[in-house]
Amino acid sequence: MATLGTRIKKARENIGMSQGELATAIGIKPSSGVISNWERDLNKPDAEKIVKLCEVLNISASFLLDYY
């Protein structure tokens, strides 16, 4: 079963984006480690960041949240 973190990582890697690039694109300081923490399921993005992730990664919220 894929977690939220693994879905973020897969979507990011599918478009060839680094964690730092993704952080910058959604308005987070690249060196903060936030993306890494999300991908390792240590923390979860808030609703605003989920919307930005979907826009930047060109994925649906239903895919990201595994809600169909």
Side-chain angles (χ1 to χ4, degrees), residues 1 7-8 13 18 26 28 33 40-41 58:
M1 180 178 179
R7 288 189 296 276
I8 292 170
E13 289 176 341
S18 72
I26 64 171
I28 297 172
R40 293 182 294 143
D41 293 304
N58 195 29

Side-chain angles (χ1 to χ4, degrees), residues 34-62:
V34 170
I35 304 298
S36 175
N37 287 342
W38 290 348
E39 290 183 356
R40 293 182 294 143
D41 293 304
L42 298 177
N43 294 323
K44 295 187 180 350
D46 61 25
E48 178 185 336
K49 295 297 188 266
I50 287 174
V51 170
K52 289 182 180 183
L53 283 168
C54 291
E55 291 171 355
V56 170
L57 298 173
N58 195 29
I59 56 175
S60 67
S62 60

Side-chain angles (χ1 to χ4, degrees), residues 1-2 4-7 10 12 15 27 30 37 39 45 51 67:
M1 180 178 179
L4 174 62
T6 57
R7 288 189 296 276
K10 179 181 178 183
R12 177 182 60 76
I15 62 170
N37 287 342
E39 290 183 356
V51 170
Y67 183 77

